[in-house]
Amino acid sequence: MTSIPALSALYTAAQARALDRDAARFGVGSHDLMQRAGWAAFAALRRRWPEAVRIGVLCGPGNNGGDGFVLARLALEAGMAVRVLAPASPARGDAAQARAALLEAGGRIEPWSEALPPADVYVDALYGIGLDRAPEGEAAALIEALNAGGAPVLALDVPSGLDADSGHAPGAAVRAAATVGFVAWKRGLFTGQAADHCGALELATLDLPDALYAAHAPDARLLTAEALPPRARGGHKGDYGRVLVIGGDHGMGGAARLAGEAALRVGAGLVEIATRAEHVAPILAARPELMPRAVDGPQALQAACERADVIALGPGLGQGAWGHALWLTALLDAQRPLVLDADALNLLAREPRALRDAAVLTPHPGEAARLLGCEVAAVQRDRYAAARTLAQRYAAVVVLKGAGTLVASPSGDVAVCRWGNPGMASGGMGDVLTGVIAALMAQGQAPWPAACLGVGLHARAGDLAAAAGERGLLASDLFAPLRALVNGQPHE
Ligand SMILES: NC(=O)C1=CN([C@@H]2O[C@H](COP(=O)(O)OP(=O)(O)OC[C@H]3O[C@@H](n4cnc5c(N)ncnc54)[C@H](O)[C@@H]3O)[C@@H](O)[C@H]2O)[C@H](O)CC1
Ligand SMILES: [K+]
């Protein structure tokens, strides 16, 4: 049984190839790997669709196709009705051997040009980590037919058409019911468009030893579900830090309040909100445990900054004169650890400044694009690169939000969040995350662990809250599950 480290390690396609090659050092050559991959995929098919009798296997020109040939032969030998479509060009090496073995076992291979055969389950063995451009021609047509076909698709290693490194789909891409990864997780399976294409993910480590994984540092790691340790009995609110939220320009007091309440729900000792005078009464009425302060400019803000352990800068801040003045004060004079979100990031994009203090930036793809001076599409084409570039440029921890949120450190570490759902793409969710991360920093966590734990808590809370349906999920629905999760409690 492979240990947890291998199951949470994420590799690039190039690193996966190196793992593949290095398996030979442990007596497992590429031919064996392909046989084991085919076996594992066939076992997954039988487990997921025990009633299936007819399968349609779509093989590509490379080793992904080779895995498909092995699966097809095993299905044939198990008495299933098997149709195989493969390109006319003869496969090479291990895939050629797998193709020959299928034919020797009585299998038939039909050209891609054939219409999709009727099947209970399809197997996508067109492209894996070797995809280097958008599928075209007959391959693209087969992918579209699979997606329109109605029957479930089991994708081998990577849904064909999805880039294994970025999770971007440059063109047509299979929407699989399930994906069986081989040897190690490819990092593109957990971010970007991957969630629309992978279906249920499972990893087949092909009985490779931990020593092989230990010899290959991964590019990134999946976040694991964590909580804060129980509190010391003698603790008091001074031990749990003071968060100052700066934001809530005219009409945007709700954003500041959401960040503030999230900070309380995750355990900050005290939460002040520096905001416009008009928001003080409504915030107190809604959540009397918060301490809203009317702040009209830098002087009034100074005292609040000095009382704070951590500053959450940006929820509803706006980019007008008021917001800009407070933003400058927090950046230049406060000398406090910072969480920058929303308009604090937009102001930074407009007026780039070095961040002197420990900081966490929490951009969504649009804010990241403004900070990088590129198009949003460029950010989404390579989210790992975008997050790493921003973290290095600002010497800060960066949380690049969106499907498969990434946390990047200035030293290049990346943690990937596999929780969360489309219901969280609603107003205020980002404000809540800002408050969560600030509260964890106020309780003594450095930016990197605070951002990793905060992103995981926030996304898991979003999944628990979405149990009643993703539509209509409100940011404030996360407060109760957040409180349960940060304490390590189950949330019914
Ligand atoms: N350690 C592992 O991950 C294992 C990998 N195996 C399987 O091998 C594939 C990777 O095989 P490879 O031959 O390198 O590439 P693909 O089969 O993914 O692609 C084939 C070939 O297709 C060409 N190509 C790429 N994109 C396009 C395109 N859009 N249109 C046309 N042609 C394209 C390109 O030349 C590729 O080389 C891996 O995913 C696993 O399934 C082992 O069998 C098990 C261990
Ligand atoms: K595939």
Side-chain angles (χ1 to χ4, degrees), residues 146-401:
L146 280 179
N147 290 341
V153 180
L154 175 66
L156 302 195
D157 208 31
V158 185
S160 296
L162 192 75
D163 182 299
D165 280 342
S166 64
H168 176 64
V174 167
R175 290 180 182 277
T179 297
V180 184
F182 300 132
V183 181
W185 284 133
K186 283 71 180 181
R187 66 180 205 182
L189 295 176
F190 295 94
T191 195
Q193 296 163 266
D196 288 327
H197 293 277
C198 290
L201 278 165
E202 63 178 88
L203 181 65
T205 51
L206 309 187
D207 296 328
L208 292 169
D210 284 351
L212 170 64
Y213 297 98
H216 291 261
D219 176 74
R221 283 206 174 278
L222 283 173
L223 286 176
T224 47
E226 308 287 347
L228 282 182
R231 284 187 163 176
R233 293 304 86 204
H236 58 82
K237 62 177 175 243
D239 296 336
Y240 307 121
R242 292 177 76 112
V243 170
L244 172 63
V245 176
I246 302 176
D249 198 356
H250 296 310
M252 297 191 280
R257 187 213 135 192
L258 283 168
E261 179 153 358
L264 287 175
R265 289 297 177 192
V266 164
L270 289 164
V271 177
E272 288 193 62
I273 300 180
T275 186
R276 289 280 195 184
E278 71 207 54
H279 301 315
V280 171
I283 287 176
L284 274 177
R287 181 53 61 202
E289 295 87 346
L290 289 169
M291 296 185 289
R293 305 268 191 260
V295 163
D296 55 8
Q299 291 67 26
L301 184 63
Q302 274 294 7
C305 287
E306 275 146 32
R307 288 193 295 269
D309 296 306
V310 180
I311 294 174
L313 178 60
L317 184 68
Q319 299 183 48
W322 177 82
H324 182 260
L326 300 190
W327 176 80
L328 269 183
T329 304
L331 281 191
L332 302 184
D333 307 337
Q335 294 178 349
R336 288 291 183 281
L338 289 161
V339 181
L340 280 86
D341 185 33
D343 284 320
L345 296 172
N346 293 325
L347 286 168
L348 187 61
R350 208 173 75 184
E351 207 177 309
R353 289 180 172 280
L355 301 174
R356 261 198 344 252
D357 305 299
V360 177
L361 279 60
T362 60
H364 60 52
E367 288 152 351
R370 282 192 281 277
L371 285 164
L372 290 165
C374 67
E375 294 301 312
V376 181
V379 169
Q380 293 299 81
R381 259 198 305 280
D382 191 345
R383 288 168 50 84
Y384 285 91
R388 282 184 161 122
T389 302
L390 275 180
Q392 281 147 14
R393 183 172 302 176
Y394 284 99
V397 172
V398 169
V399 173
L400 178 56
K401 297 183 285 196

Side-chain angles (χ1 to χ4, degrees), residues 59 82 86 101 103 107 129 185 270 274 282 295 349 404 411 445 448 477 481:
C59 293
V82 183
L103 296 175
I129 58 176
W185 284 133
L270 289 164
V295 163
S411 58
Q445 297 224 326
W448 172 255
D477 295 337

Side-chain angles (χ1 to χ4, degrees), residues 73-74 76-77 99-107:
R73 175 175 56 78
L74 295 168
L76 197 66
E77 289 166 355
R99 181 192 178 108
L102 170 64
L103 296 175
E104 278 156 34

Side-chain angles (χ1 to χ4, degrees), residues 69-158:
F69 288 133
V70 174
L71 183 152
R73 175 175 56 78
L74 295 168
L76 197 66
E77 289 166 355
M80 297 181 82
V82 183
R83 296 275 297 271
V84 180
L85 273 61
S89 54
R92 299 181 308 280
D94 298 326
Q97 285 183 35
R99 181 192 178 108
L102 170 64
L103 296 175
E104 278 156 34
R108 282 189 320 110
I109 292 174
E110 302 161 71
W112 272 358
S113 54
E114 280 301 300
L116 207 54
D120 303 315
V121 181
Y122 291 102
V123 174
D124 159 28
L126 291 168
Y127 303 113
I129 58 176
L131 185 88
D132 56 23
R133 60 191 186 279
E136 55 220 5
E138 291 170 331
L142 280 174
I143 291 171
E144 301 297 0
L146 280 179
N147 290 341
V153 180
L154 175 66
L156 302 195
D157 208 31
V158 185

Side-chain angles (χ1 to χ4, degrees), residues 29-50:
S30 61
H31 172 76
D32 290 346
L33 273 182
M34 186 171 284
Q35 297 303 315
R36 293 186 189 189
W39 261 107
F42 180 55
L45 188 149
R46 295 299 288 253
R47 181 174 4 95
R48 288 181 179 275
W49 296 285

